[in-house]
Amino acid sequence: MGAITIEKEAACQLIWMLAMEVTMKINEIFNQNRKVFSFEVFPPKKQGTIESITSVLGELSALEPDFISVTYGAGGNTADESTCKIASMIKNEYHIESMAHLTCVNSTKDDVSIVLGQLKAQNIENILALRGDINPDLPRREDFHYSCELVRYIKEQGDFHISGACYPEVHVDAKNMQEDIEHLKIKVDAGVSHLISQLFFDNDLFYHFNEKVRAAGIQVPIEAGIMPVSNKKQIERMVTMCGASIPQKLAKILQRYEYDSESLREAGIEYAIKQMEGLLEHGVDGLHLYTMNNPYIASQISKEVKGLL
Ligand code: FAD
C-alpha cells in the first residue's frame, strides 16, 4: 500500500513537472534574470514535407536554447499549418519552449482565430505578432493594418505571451527612427512584452537604437537578432529586403570568400560570435540566432556563446 502511495506521489510530481515544463511563457524565461539565447527556424519551402525538418529540430533542440521560434509564411494561408505543426514538435516532442510567428496583413479576423485555436490546441503559448510584408501579388484584407491591431486581437482571444519585431536600422516603410519608435511604443502598450530585432551587422547601430527605445519609455526586454553570413547572394537579397547595412569589415569578408563557401561559412560564424560577445559585454537582454535551419552553424556559435550568457 505504502509503495503504491509513493508511486502515485512520484507520478503526480512527474505530471506536475511536465506541466510546468510545457507552460513556460517567454516572459517567465526573462524573469529568471539572465541572458536569453534563442533560435529561429523556418518551415520547409514545399508544403507537406515537414518530416524533412525533423533531424534539424532534433539537433537544434539538443543545443538547449531557451526557445525556438518558427516563421510564418506570407499570405495568411491558414490551410498551411506548418508553423503550428513545427512549433508543436519543438515543444511537445523535443521539450524546448516554442514560439509561433503570425502575420496578419493578408488575413481576416476569422483566419487569425483559426490559427489561434490551432496553437491553443497544441499548447503553444508564445506568439510573435507581425504585420507581414506588403506583397502586391497577394490580396490585402482590411481587418488588420498594423501589428498593434493583431496584438490587441490576440489579447482578446486568450492568454498568450505576445512578442513583437523591432528595427535597429528603421523599418523600410517608416519615415525615420523617431516615427518608427513611436509606433513601436503603441505596439508595446497594446500588449507586447518582448521584442526581437531585425538582423543587423553593426552593433553600434543596435546600441544607438536601444538607447532611443529606452528613452521613449519602452522597458520590455529586447533580443538582438543575429544572422551568420554563409552565402553572399542570400545575404545581399536579405539586406535589400530589410534595409540592413553591411559594414566594411563584413563587405571585405564577403568579397574575399565569394567563391569559397566553406571559408565564408567559417568567417561568417566568427563574425557572428564577435557580434554576440560585444552585445553581451554591452548588457543585451538576449540573443536570437537566425539559424537558417543549419545545425552546424548553430552548434559552433552555441559552443562559444553559451558560456558567456
Ligand atoms: P508593424 O509593427 O505593423 O510596422 C510596420 C510599419 O508600420 C513600420 O514602418 C511602422 O513604423 C508602421 N506602423 C506600425 N504601427 C503603426 C501605427 N499604429 N500607425 C502608423 N504606422 C504604424 N515576416 C513574415 O512574413 N513571416 C515571419 O515569420 C516573419 N518573422 C519576422 C521576425 C522578425 C524578428 C522580424 C524583425 C521580422 C519578421 N518578418 C516576418 C518580417 C515582418 O513581417 C516585416 O518586417 C513587416 O514589414 C513588418 O512587420 P511588423 O510586425 O514589424 O509591422
Side-chain angles (χ1 to χ4, degrees):
M1 189 68 179
I4 291 172
T5 309
I6 289 168
E7 270 175 27
K8 253 188 178 172
E9 272 178 15
C12 285
Q13 202 173 2
L14 185 66
I15 290 167
W16 181 81
M17 280 166 64
L18 286 172
M20 286 303 285
E21 189 182 40
V22 294
T23 56
M24 177 81 81
K25 291 202 178 86
I26 304 290
N27 49 339
E28 291 162 20
I29 303 177
F30 278 99
N31 285 345
Q32 291 170 357
N33 222 1
R34 61 186 174 81
K35 310 289 176 199
V36 167
F37 187 50
S38 60
F39 292 165
E40 178 172 306
V41 297
F42 53 80
K45 298 281 181 229
K46 282 191 218 140
Q47 275 189 33
T49 55
I50 294 219
E51 292 66 31
S52 67
I53 201 177
T54 311
S55 69
V56 169
L57 297 182
E59 287 180 65
L60 291 177
S61 300
L63 301 171
E64 299 184 338
D66 286 303
F67 68 91
I68 301 180
S69 79
V70 188
T71 64
Y72 190 79
N77 179 5
T78 49
D80 177 8
E81 297 168 9
S82 51
T83 299
C84 180
K85 283 185 184 155
I86 293 168
S88 172
M89 281 164 78
I90 293 165
K91 177 154 187 161
N92 301 315
E93 292 176 32
Y94 294 102
H95 307 295
I96 296 287
E97 195 48 63
S98 67
M99 170 189 275
H101 296 205
L102 177 59
T103 66
C104 62
V105 77
N106 302 111
S107 301
T108 62
K109 287 185 173 172
D110 286 347
D111 294 335
V112 169
S113 291
I114 291 170
V115 178
L116 295 178
Q118 290 163 349
L119 295 174
K120 267 187 215 163
Q122 295 303 318
N123 210 11
I124 294 155
E125 298 181 290
N126 305 296
I127 298 177
L128 181 61
L130 299 149
R131 184 194 71 177
D133 286 323
I134 309 292
N135 181 342
D137 299 332
L138 292 171
R140 278 290 292 274
R141 305 284 183 189
E142 288 306 317
D143 285 2
F144 303 100
H145 305 90
Y146 300 109
S147 60
C148 57
E149 295 159 345
L150 176 64
V151 173
R152 289 189 199 109
Y153 188 69
I154 296 172
K155 280 211 96 66
E156 287 167 16
Q157 304 290 310
D159 181 26
F160 289 101
H161 162 91
I162 309 173
S163 300
C166 64
Y167 300 84
E169 296 190 60
V170 183
H171 184 264
V172 284
D173 298 347
K175 269 199 231 119
N176 52 46
M177 185 175 285
Q178 191 190 333
E179 183 198 82
D180 209 19
I181 291 178
E182 281 165 17
H183 296 151
L184 187 63
K185 177 93 168 65
I186 294 172
K187 172 157 67 180
V188 171
D189 290 347
V192 160
S193 42
H194 155 237
L195 294 165
I196 304 181
S197 90
Q198 182 58 281
L199 62 94
F200 60 92
F201 299 106
D202 180 346
N203 284 2
D204 286 340
L205 298 173
F206 181 83
Y207 305 145
H208 175 70
F209 170 74
N210 212 50
E211 266 173 35
K212 296 273 177 205
V213 168
R214 297 311 182 206
I218 298 171
Q219 298 302 343
V220 299
I222 305 176
E223 275 192 278
I226 299 296
M227 179 172 286
V229 169
S230 61
N231 178 306
K232 185 169 184 272
K233 286 221 166 68
Q234 179 193 55
I235 221 70
E236 284 171 350
R237 204 173 47 243
M238 289 272 187
V239 297
T240 311
M241 273 167 57
C242 74
S245 54
I246 297 189
Q248 269 226 325
K249 192 176 165 204
L250 183 60
K252 279 188 188 156
I253 292 174
L254 290 172
Q255 207 175 11
R256 187 176 319 144
Y257 300 124
E258 182 171 5
Y259 302 107
D260 177 355
S261 55
E262 204 172 305
S263 300
L264 180 58
R265 186 190 63 195
E266 296 308 312
I269 289 172
E270 199 184 318
Y271 191 94
I273 291 170
K274 286 253 153 55
Q275 258 195 291
M276 289 179 163
E277 286 171 348
L279 287 158
L280 288 170
E281 276 167 23
H282 268 78
V284 72
D285 298 317
L287 300 166
H288 186 69
L289 180 66
Y290 295 107
T291 69
M292 305 303 286
N293 294 4
N294 187 321
Y296 170 77
I297 292 179
S299 75
Q300 295 302 101
I301 292 176
S302 294
K303 248 196 312 205
E304 295 299 320
V305 170
K306 279 198 102 175
L308 307 174
L309 296 172

